[in-house]
Amino acid sequence: MRRHVFLTGPPGIGKTTLIHQIIDVLKSSGVPVDGFYTEEVRKNGRRIGFDVVTVSGKRGTLSRTRNDADAANSGRCEYRVGPYVVDLPSFECLALPLLTKLNGKEDKEKKVYVIDEIGKMELFSEPFIQAVRQILDGTDATVLGTIPIPKGKPLGLVEDIRSRRDVKIFNISRDNRDSIIQEIIETVQGCRKMNGN
């Protein structure tokens, strides 16, 4: 029984663009959607980091390149992924209330919860890992998320998601990214029915 849907594929393939399109379609058909996605931040044409943006439009910093992060992060414990310094407090401040609201059953309306992405930067947060596990194990939500393709050292939560029998994973490629959206939407809607939504 499939209850959750995840997209995977190489960086820059269009996973977040698909997530945006799916959110729009679900909302226009009356499906309640909540959660967050990640968005590139550019300055003078150069990528300087990523922001976390909630479906309702709130924005917070996820990461910045070393120079752009120095002023904001002075004195903080530093988490790094490649050239990026992760702003863990900012990420947790925005993402965790969304996830704990669901786990705490404060949200009576059953929704599709977007978690884009579950990757190296987000996985520095142990509370985030625990909250995602609780949501996936619960019966009150359908998760629409993204995970990276396997590369380098395995990421525990990502590998757990890959091996779950209640998760359908779509591999996004240049060949299928424009034609696969309808199948993903139908799968999400099927998962909602399985979850009693």
Side-chain angles (χ1 to χ4, degrees):
M1 180 171 81
R2 305 288 190 195
R3 295 179 46 240
H4 308 293
V5 176
F6 281 85
L7 313 184
T8 192
I13 201 69
K15 298 183 295 294
T16 299
T17 300
L18 274 173
I19 290 284
H20 279 286
Q21 294 170 346
I22 295 164
I23 289 170
D24 289 344
V25 171
L26 292 173
K27 282 182 161 183
S28 68
S29 61
V31 175
V33 182
D34 207 347
F36 69 90
Y37 53 89
T38 55
E39 199 170 79
E40 265 189 11
V41 178
R42 291 188 167 268
K43 184 177 178 181
N44 300 325
R46 183 180 65 91
R47 185 168 70 193
I48 61 164
F50 297 90
D51 277 357
V52 177
V53 185
T54 68
V55 170
S56 63
K58 294 180 185 171
R59 178 181 292 269
T61 301
L62 174 59
S63 67
R64 291 292 184 269
T65 52
R66 177 80 203 173
N67 292 342
D68 293 286
D70 280 344
N73 285 336
S74 59
R76 287 189 191 164
C77 177
E78 194 170 280
Y79 299 92
R80 295 186 60 114
V81 175
Y84 303 104
V85 177
V86 179
D87 189 337
L88 208 56
S90 172
F91 168 69
E92 290 182 339
C93 183
L94 202 60
L96 290 181
L98 293 171
L99 303 179
T100 53
K101 180 171 76 171
L102 173 64
N103 283 330
K105 307 294 186 283
E106 292 171 32
D107 199 343
K108 302 300 181 201
E109 188 175 32
K110 294 190 176 188
K111 298 179 178 180
V112 171
Y113 273 81
V114 174
I115 305 176
D116 169 37
E117 129 174 275
I118 299 173
K120 285 182 183 176
M121 292 184 188
E122 296 82 1
L123 294 178
F124 283 120
S125 171
E126 192 59 41
F128 172 75
I129 293 170
Q130 291 171 4
V132 170
R133 287 188 192 281
Q134 286 178 338
I135 290 169
L136 292 173
D137 290 340
T139 58
D140 293 320
T142 299
V143 173
L144 170 62
T146 64
I147 53 176
I149 57 172
K151 182 182 172 186
K153 183 181 173 185
L155 304 171
L157 179 58
V158 173
E159 294 312 308
D160 291 350
I161 289 168
R162 284 186 194 289
S163 65
R164 289 180 69 105
R165 296 175 66 188
D166 61 352
V167 168
K168 168 70 176 170
I169 296 179
F170 287 91
N171 290 296
I172 308 303
S173 67
R174 294 201 191 287
D175 294 334
N176 72 7
R177 68 182 175 192
D178 295 326
S179 59
I180 201 168
I181 186 167
Q182 192 56 42
E183 185 183 351
I184 297 169
I185 289 165
E186 288 171 5
T187 304
V188 170
Q189 291 171 331
C191 290
R192 286 189 76 239
K193 287 178 185 164
M194 287 290 192
N195 288 339
N197 295 317

